[in-house]
Amino acid sequence: MMGPSHALSGAAVWLTGSLALEHFADYEQSTLALAVGTAVCAGGALFPDLDLSGKVTRNQGGATVARTFGVFSLFVAEVIEKVSLGVYYATKLSRDPKRNNGHRTLTHTIPFTVLVGWGTTALCTAYGKWAVVGILFFMIGLALRGLFDRWAERAGWVIVTLTSAAGAWYTFANLPGDRGYPMIGLAMGVGCFVHIIGDMVTKAGVPILWPIPIKRRMWTPIGLPNSIALRAGGKTEIVVVRSVLTVVSVLAAIGLVAPSVLERFTTDV
Ligand SMILES: [Zn+2]
């Protein structure tokens, strides 16, 4: 799957999940909390691909997400890719093939998803609003890069960085303080998980069962069989999948925000 589809599926899952929570569990979120969760989940749905580094020194290559904050995120991607490759070799069994990069390994596993969700929650609990702002800055950047890829490409990474900073600042000024923010950790974890599922429906598959060994392989790629798998970047993905995800996101967002807008309108009149 390509960046925009990943980010869109993160947003769609978070919005429909929030709508379901509101309907079935009476769990209501403020519009700001919803926007924050959606941005974090959309950004989180791109996070696993930060394991695709380019040539940092020449400022080339890498997944689109790795270019979000220019050379800085390319460097982070380089580190994540090398760490992933290290974990691959440290845990590989005799039938796992040799690799020369860590793409689609560690960051595409369930333990990583759980670790990211837990780590984010721990950060938010320890540092409160400050952690939220840092995470949000990072995630808004990824979400912008994913959701508005053409704009981000044209605007360049400096504008993307400034926009993320503005979004994070606005949230800092308006978010209630003195509390934990468990939904942010959840949004990160769900985002990463949605990414893995997205990769599974495209051809190459992901080592989702790691670290469970199967037939002397630890990193077995699991995905749809080639005959029914979507081609990454193919017409079906770009036209059908993205349209459906957009419609679902918009409908869920309307379902979430409309009641409170209507209520305000009727009490004003
Ligand atoms: Zn991926």
Side-chain angles (χ1 to χ4, degrees):
M1 247 188 193
M2 315 274 288
S5 317
H6 279 304
L8 260 175
S9 45
V13 166
W14 192 256
L15 288 167
T16 39
S18 299
L19 188 63
L21 272 181
E22 195 177 289
H23 265 270
F24 301 114
D26 261 331
Y27 184 89
E28 270 189 51
Q29 300 176 70
S30 69
T31 310
L32 181 63
L34 271 173
V36 167
T38 307
V40 172
C41 199
L46 289 166
F47 190 61
D49 271 352
L50 268 183
D51 66 350
L52 190 56
S53 62
K55 302 258 182 303
V56 170
T57 40
R58 274 182 280 154
N59 193 11
Q60 277 173 350
T64 9
V65 272
R67 310 183 63 85
T68 308
F69 304 107
V71 138
F72 304 103
S73 44
L74 277 171
F75 176 74
V76 172
E78 187 94 33
V79 173
I80 295 180
E81 188 256 306
K82 290 291 174 294
V83 170
S84 303
L85 189 62
V87 173
Y88 180 84
Y89 273 102
T91 60
K92 107 184 234 312
L93 297 177
S94 57
R95 288 194 54 213
D96 283 309
K98 283 196 176 118
R99 301 186 59 113
N100 49 22
N101 74 79
H103 181 47
R104 279 195 176 183
T105 56
L106 181 66
T107 60
H108 289 64
T109 62
I110 301 289
F112 179 81
T113 301
V114 175
L115 188 75
V116 166
W118 172 82
T120 308
T121 309
L123 273 179
C124 292
T125 311
Y127 301 103
K129 232 168 149 175
W130 285 106
V132 175
V133 172
I135 292 161
L136 206 59
F137 166 67
F138 192 36
M139 287 304 124
I140 293 179
L142 294 190
L144 286 174
R145 187 86 219 193
L147 293 173
F148 310 106
D149 58 328
R150 289 216 189 90
W151 167 81
E153 194 74 50
R154 249 182 295 128
W157 68 270
V158 177
I159 303 281
V160 172
T161 305
L162 291 175
T163 314
S164 314
W169 177 253
Y170 177 83
T171 309
F172 185 75
N174 291 286
L175 200 70
D178 308 330
R179 42 174 283 212
Y181 301 92
M183 291 304 259
I184 307 233
L186 186 66
M188 275 298 287
V190 169
C192 290
F193 185 70
V194 168
H195 178 100
I196 297 176
I197 300 299
D199 275 355
M200 282 176 77
V201 300
T202 54
K203 270 183 183 170
V206 288
I208 194 164
L209 293 177
W210 183 86
I212 302 168
I214 299 163
K215 293 183 190 153
R216 280 180 289 134
R217 269 195 94 165
M218 193 73 101
W219 298 89
T220 317
I222 312 276
L224 288 181
N226 277 355
S227 51
I228 50 169
L230 284 177
R231 193 164 56 84
K235 262 214 180 95
T236 325
E237 182 195 325
I238 291 180
V239 181
V240 183
V241 175
R242 284 186 203 172
S243 311
V244 170
L245 289 172
T246 309
V247 171
V248 168
S249 305
V250 170
L251 287 180
I254 292 173
L256 283 160
V257 179
S260 67
V261 174
L262 279 179
E263 202 174 295
R264 208 175 300 164
F265 182 72
T266 38
T267 43
D268 278 355
V269 171

